[in-house]
Amino acid sequence: MIKKITVFLLGLLMLAPAGAGAAAEPKITIDMHYLVVSPAEDGSTNMMNMVNYTNLDSSEYKGDGKSEAVLTVTLPEGSTGLNFLDGKIAMKQTGNGFITTDSIPGSQTVVLPYSYRMPAGRDINLAFDYPVQMMQVLVPEGMGSIEFKGAEATNQGLFNFEDQKYVGYSVEAIPANKPFTMIYNKDIQPKAGEAKQAGAEAESGTVVAKQSPAFHNPGHLRMWYQSPLKSFNPHVLMIVLAAIVIAGIAYFSYFSLRNRAEAEKLENDADEKAFKLLMAKQNTIMDKILELEETYGNGLLTEEEYNAKIDAYKQHLVKVKLGLRRFVE
């Protein structure tokens, strides 16, 4: 499931703008933030993120110069199990999230894929370190719904991806460090045909409802058609890229499983040899004990000699039986 969602989000980011217009402040913006929310097996909430960070300046961005951090990512309070999904990007975990340490070339974009978990039944309080142009929150169909507080959200309805349907929510123009809350309930499903998300509680306390737009807004589509990839169908391209990634994963999995099977076979062969050797030792010791009993019964050994030898055989037999125990228990 996690691998499929990762491929899915990578495909979606192909439709996000690869750059942004020049601006003095801030130098970094989040073009798109995709978040897939789903229940974990242990009852907690999975938070799968794919985030598109763009350097708005034409010069290389190395951070604010106050620390080694280039990008700073603050996670919600109570989050656990951070998993950074791109080993090519240097990152370091901090007390409240993580940082990256690789500089970003001028007018370029980097994608940070990461996941974490939130305790079940706990409000998810979010605030981003950089302004967010658009955030799209996705929930697999039948796995619950989300309410928003402190941000204006729209319900984008259901859409399909690889035989899985998702409910989409969209939040636009989130200022940096502006907190808002997501309330995820895995047991409450969206109403059938629901077209509006009564999501945002404005500062005045009123609830704002917006009509659901198309899944990708016109600005993103315009950026796509101005890009070098405009001659391709974006959805077909997404499927092709997804197929390539999935094929790579399948190829890696096949050889991993084959190597594991061969290793297990060698291990089983070694275990079989060890078991046979221990059984042979046990039979030899038993024969020696019977031979000793017969020799002692014929009066060819003194009692002291008999006791010394029988104790030695018994100690050896105990060691052999301990070795056999791991094969029979």
Side-chain angles (χ1 to χ4, degrees):
M1 179 67 174
I2 295 296
K3 289 181 179 178
K4 182 181 289 187
I5 289 174
T6 303
V7 173
F8 173 39
L9 295 181
L10 281 170
L12 291 177
L13 282 179
M14 289 298 297
L15 297 178
E25 290 292 342
K27 291 186 176 181
I28 296 294
T29 187
I30 296 175
D31 295 330
M32 289 295 299
H33 186 142
Y34 288 104
L35 169 62
V36 177
V37 181
S38 61
E41 293 181 357
D42 61 0
S44 62
T45 301
N46 280 322
M47 305 281 287
M48 183 75 179
N49 298 262
M50 193 77 70
V51 192
N52 204 348
Y53 292 83
T54 295
N55 179 5
L56 298 175
D57 198 80
S58 59
S59 60
E60 185 179 26
Y61 181 74
K62 299 180 180 180
D64 58 11
K66 298 178 181 178
S67 68
E68 63 177 332
V70 175
L71 295 176
T72 301
V73 179
T74 302
L75 301 182
E77 183 179 357
S79 64
T80 59
L82 172 64
N83 185 18
F84 196 70
L85 304 175
D86 190 339
K88 296 181 181 179
I89 301 176
M91 61 82 69
K92 293 183 179 180
Q93 192 165 354
T94 63
N96 59 354
F98 66 90
I99 62 172
T100 67
T101 56
D102 291 336
S103 61
I104 305 174
S107 304
Q108 295 296 312
T109 298
V110 296
V111 178
L112 299 187
Y114 60 92
S115 65
Y116 57 89
R117 295 189 303 275
M118 291 295 295
R122 182 167 180 168
D123 290 355
I124 303 170
N125 299 313
L126 296 170
F128 302 112
D129 299 86
Y130 310 93
V132 180
Q133 294 183 24
M134 176 175 285
M135 180 181 188
Q136 291 189 337
V137 184
L138 313 171
V139 180
E141 184 185 26
M143 295 188 183
S145 60
I146 294 177
E147 294 181 10
F148 293 84
K149 291 183 178 180
E152 186 176 336
T154 59
N155 186 323
Q156 298 177 314
L158 285 172
F159 61 94
N160 291 312
F161 179 76
E162 290 192 353
D163 300 324
Q164 171 69 61
K165 291 184 178 180
Y166 294 85
V167 178
Y169 304 88
S170 177
V171 184
E172 298 184 29
I174 306 171
N177 301 310
K178 172 70 186 311
F180 66 98
T181 301
M182 289 191 339
I183 303 172
Y184 172 63
N185 192 321
K186 66 181 180 62
D187 298 317
I188 297 180
Q189 309 304 325
K191 296 179 181 178
E194 186 178 36
K196 294 182 180 181
Q197 166 68 26
E201 288 185 359
E203 294 181 1
S204 62
T206 59
V207 175
V208 179
K210 282 185 67 177
Q211 184 70 27
S212 172
F215 184 70
H216 297 287
N217 67 16
H220 290 163
L221 294 177
R222 183 172 61 256
M223 290 296 294
W224 169 265
Y225 288 116
Q226 291 174 353
S227 74
L229 299 174
K230 63 182 180 180
S231 60
F232 295 93
N233 183 308
H235 297 96
V236 172
L237 182 60
M238 181 187 74
I239 294 172
V240 171
L241 291 173
I244 293 172
V245 175
I246 292 172
I249 293 172
Y251 180 84
F252 175 78
S253 299
Y254 168 75
F255 283 100
S256 295
L257 290 173
R258 192 181 73 175
N259 291 337
R260 187 185 306 169
E262 291 177 354
E264 289 178 353
K265 182 179 179 181
L266 291 175
E267 183 179 355
N268 290 336
D269 290 344
D271 285 345
E272 184 177 358
K273 291 179 181 178
F275 177 76
K276 290 180 177 179
L277 180 60
L278 288 172
M279 287 298 297
K281 286 184 178 180
Q282 177 179 259
N283 293 335
T284 300
I285 294 170
M286 294 300 296
D287 289 341
K288 291 289 185 181
I289 290 175
L290 292 174
E291 183 180 339
L292 182 64
E293 293 282 356
E294 184 178 352
T295 302
Y296 177 67
N298 293 332
L300 301 177
L301 290 174
T302 65
E303 185 173 355
E304 290 182 358
E305 291 174 330
Y306 169 77
N307 289 334
K309 289 187 176 184
I310 196 69
D311 288 342
Y313 285 140
K314 286 181 179 179
Q315 290 178 11
H316 197 184
L317 184 61
V318 168
K319 293 180 181 179
V320 172
K321 286 187 176 295
L322 288 175
L324 286 169
R325 181 175 296 177
R326 72 184 183 94
F327 296 101
V328 297
E329 289 186 350

